[in-house]
Amino acid sequence: MKNVLKIVFKLTFCCLFPLITIYAQVAKPQAKPNILIILADDMGYADLGCMGGDAETPHLDLLAKKGILFTNFYNNAKCAPSRASLMTGQSPQRIGADHKAGNVNRGAMTIAEALKGEYTTLMVGKWHIKPAPLQMGFQRYFGAGLSAIHWWPTDEKQVRDIQLDGRTYAEKDMTVPVEKWYMETEHANYAMKFLQGEVVNKGTTKPFFLYYASHLPHWPLQAPRADVERYLNVFKSGTDAARKRRYDRMVALGIINPKICSLSSIDEKSNSWDSFTTEEKEYYQQAMAVHTAMVYRLDVELGRLFDYLKKNNLFDNTAIFFMSDNGASAESVPATLPFGQQMGDRGTEKRINDVGAAVCNTPLRGHKSTLYEGGIGTPMIFHWPKGIGKPGIVSKQAGSICDIFPTVLDLANLHYPSEYEGRKLNQLDGQSLLPQLKKAPIVERKLLWNYEKFSAEIQGNLKALRLSPRGKDASRGLATL
Ligand SMILES: [Ca+2]
């Protein structure tokens, strides 16, 4: 077909039709559940322990084990479009949100605005849409709106991007000294500070909504040395071996069926492990160790938050959603070791490149910024002790990041209004997943995307992908179909 490559292929990693039926029993909770949405940034499909990854993620694994692990869940391939849809339940195109930081107040309301009044609304982390969180329904906010920050920034512009309740965050606001300061630790500390101040100390019966938008494991690769050292030996055998290892684990965990899902070949532009120089091998060994340490650190900090919720009797009636905003990133820098520094330290700016992204997204093709499965596929964990009677389900139900908003409305027993504060609201593009958390069978979905030169559609067990010859070339490092 002239100028258009249109490919229809069977989804190889798992079938969207009902391989199993969900029989999660949903008990009637006594009160509206608290809502906790956790968003990872650039996390690969196979990065979590419960998805076959190398990072130790016991807290998130336990959520999956005691909740529902959706393995056919989709985001919008990049930070801002995913966050816009997560917050509004609409496609980025419908509300005019672009891939940089589009406005979400055109014909839309955020989850925080929908819950405000009935819920205490709190946020920590990366916002990456406009207007600011405090203008879009949140009562408290800590975080960097745009930049991915881990160690205390060496760039003054990034320092100014860190906000606390509408003003610039300063050294006096730090919960740990600057030399030990790490953003994810501060995210967790501020999440707990907000909960302590707005919920626990007030003794309120009002439920809370906390949006926890991590920067991990987005580049630059920066993590505490002790965390990195846990994983340096893991990647000694190389990235090809790591992909095979993760694939085998996913088969053993029942996440993929080897009869319908083979390990896709690595991008032609990427080299096999054997073809790398000694320095490149050392680079990727270290880069993957830091990336894995960042996934581990995310789990550690979330574990502290979960412990806090348990200690304050808030955990069992908290509905938790966990997912990533896009697949692992192939945005590249030269594979050279940082001169005079150790990879992962403050000020270093390294990335896993397309070689590491192929490991993180095992067994899927593609990566962040593409509409291949590796760009838009994410595990989605739903956990709600008071609401789910039968834990440990791996669901093949297809779902979209647009579904979170209507699902939250259902959980809070709220209706979507036709207008809000003078804004006439568009229809929602997502649909509530609540029936699938109960006894409802898997339903066939039609999901649509458009991102830069890509368009994609999923219907049932078919996917169509179109690559437009126009527009910005976002296909660097792509696997070919
Ligand atoms: Ca991202």
Side-chain angles (χ1 to χ4, degrees):
M1 193 180 298
K2 193 178 180 184
N3 291 336
V4 174
L5 176 63
K6 188 175 182 182
I7 299 165
V8 179
F9 62 95
K10 271 192 175 182
L11 280 178
T12 50
F13 72 102
C14 42
C15 181
L16 297 179
F17 283 123
L19 295 179
I20 60 166
T21 303
I22 299 171
Y23 286 107
Q25 302 290 334
V26 176
K28 276 195 174 172
Q30 294 305 302
K32 290 186 180 187
N34 304 305
I35 308 288
L36 170 55
I37 298 177
I38 305 165
L39 192 66
D41 196 355
D42 291 15
M43 186 191 80
Y45 187 74
D47 272 340
L48 293 179
C50 62
M51 293 294 289
D54 296 297
E56 299 146 283
T57 54
H59 303 101
L60 288 166
D61 295 352
L62 196 60
L63 291 196
K65 191 177 173 187
K66 296 196 167 184
I68 302 177
L69 173 61
F70 291 84
T71 55
N72 272 352
F73 206 82
Y74 294 98
N75 50 47
N76 288 342
K78 206 163 182 187
C79 307
S82 284
R83 288 155 208 271
S85 289
L86 174 62
M87 281 295 107
T88 66
Q90 298 184 37
S91 72
Q93 287 76 22
R94 194 181 296 282
I95 51 175
D98 62 22
H99 69 279
K100 289 180 180 166
N103 286 299
V104 295
N105 61 353
R106 291 184 226 158
M109 70 190 308
T110 66
I111 296 178
E113 287 174 322
L115 297 181
K116 196 170 71 174
E118 298 222 22
Y119 276 69
T120 300
T121 55
L122 312 167
M123 181 186 172
V124 296
K126 180 171 165 178
W127 180 237
H128 210 159
I129 44 183
K130 293 174 182 172
L134 296 185
Q135 294 171 265
M136 297 300 286
F138 287 98
Q139 294 167 236
R140 305 291 305 272
Y141 172 71
F142 163 74
L146 186 61
S147 313
I149 293 169
H150 305 300
W151 295 120
W152 183 248
T154 50
D155 175 348
E156 278 304 311
K157 193 179 165 197
Q158 285 198 331
V159 170
R160 289 194 298 275
D161 193 31
I162 307 175
Q163 297 283 308
L164 175 61
D165 292 332
R167 64 169 173 80
T168 303
Y169 169 89
E171 203 161 331
K172 67 180 170 60
D173 302 311
M174 292 179 177
T175 62
V176 288
V178 66
E179 60 274 13
K180 290 184 179 175
W181 193 97
Y182 190 74
M183 179 61 103
E184 199 60 27
T185 307
E186 201 71 339
H187 281 158
N189 286 347
Y190 265 94
M192 290 185 275
K193 273 169 76 94
F194 288 168
L195 288 166
Q196 188 69 34
E198 305 300 326
V199 178
V200 175
N201 289 352
K202 287 185 176 173
T204 178
T205 55
K206 191 186 268 193
F208 69 81
F209 165 48
L210 171 61
Y211 177 28
Y212 185 111
S214 172
H215 292 198
L216 292 174
H218 194 295
W219 52 264
L221 292 168
Q222 295 181 356
R225 281 194 186 189
D227 293 358
V228 176
E229 282 166 8
R230 299 174 83 92
Y231 299 106
L232 277 174
N233 283 331
V234 171
F235 295 96
K236 261 192 171 165
S237 52
T239 46
D240 296 342
R243 291 181 81 239
K244 178 69 167 60
R245 182 170 65 236
R246 291 185 185 205
Y247 176 83
D248 290 344
R249 284 192 200 130
M250 293 171 111
V251 171
L253 288 164
I255 291 165
I256 54 172
N257 180 347
K259 289 180 182 167
I260 57 173
C261 175
S262 58
L263 188 60
S264 63
S265 58
I266 279 194
D267 172 9
E268 288 173 357
K269 293 176 187 173
S270 299
N271 299 314
S272 69
W273 187 250
D274 290 341
S275 68
F276 289 148
T277 64
T278 302
E279 190 189 41
E280 285 170 332
K281 284 180 177 175
E282 195 175 337
Y283 176 91
Y284 285 115
Q285 184 187 342
Q286 290 191 29
M288 287 305 297
V290 182
H291 176 91
T292 307
M294 294 165 87
V295 177
Y296 165 76
R297 178 50 46 185
L298 171 61
D299 187 81
V300 169
E301 301 299 346
L302 289 176
R304 290 202 301 122
L305 175 61
F306 298 160
D307 285 346
Y308 172 86
L309 294 174
K310 287 172 187 167
K311 190 178 141 202
N312 288 284
N313 294 320
L314 294 167
F315 189 73
D316 284 353
N317 197 27
T318 297
I320 304 176
F321 299 83
F322 173 90
M323 74 210 87
S324 180
D325 69 337
N326 48 255
S329 169
E331 294 155 318
S332 295
V333 293
T336 52
L337 294 166
F339 182 75
Q341 292 174 306
Q342 183 159 324
M343 201 189 295
D345 286 355
R346 182 170 180 240
T348 54
E349 292 279 351
K350 294 301 179 182
R351 306 179 187 180
I352 56 173
N353 300 344
D354 53 347
V355 175
V359 176
C360 299
N361 292 330
T362 301
L364 309 178
R365 291 189 181 96
H367 46 73
K368 174 182 179 181
S369 301
T370 77
L371 296 183
Y372 292 96
E373 294 290 295
I376 56 177
T378 175
M380 198 283 274
I381 300 171
F382 179 77
H383 181 268
W384 183 23
K386 261 197 169 173
I388 299 176
K390 188 175 178 183
I393 293 167
V394 176
S395 173
K396 309 296 184 188
Q397 172 66 58
S400 154
I401 198 162
C402 292
D403 297 339
I404 304 301
F405 185 110
T407 306
V408 168
L409 285 184
D410 253 5
L411 288 167
N413 197 25
L414 293 171
H415 294 289
Y416 185 61
S418 57
E419 59 179 72
Y420 178 76
E421 290 192 346
R423 309 199 292 267
K424 190 171 181 336
L425 301 181
N426 304 323
Q427 68 183 66
L428 296 173
D429 290 306
Q431 66 184 54
S432 174
L433 295 167
L434 197 58
Q436 277 66 50
L437 309 178
K438 301 181 182 175
K439 275 190 172 181
I442 286 176
V443 293
E444 185 176 320
R445 298 289 300 275
K446 180 178 180 178
L447 303 173
L448 298 166
W449 293 265
N450 182 38
Y451 182 78
E452 293 191 338
K453 67 186 291 186
F454 293 88
S455 302
E457 174 178 345
I458 284 178
Q459 190 160 351
N461 64 344
L462 298 176
K463 178 174 179 180
L465 181 75
R466 186 179 71 178
L467 293 168
S468 164
R470 292 189 295 275
K472 184 182 166 187
D473 179 10
S475 63
R476 277 185 309 129
L478 280 182
T480 49
L481 284 166

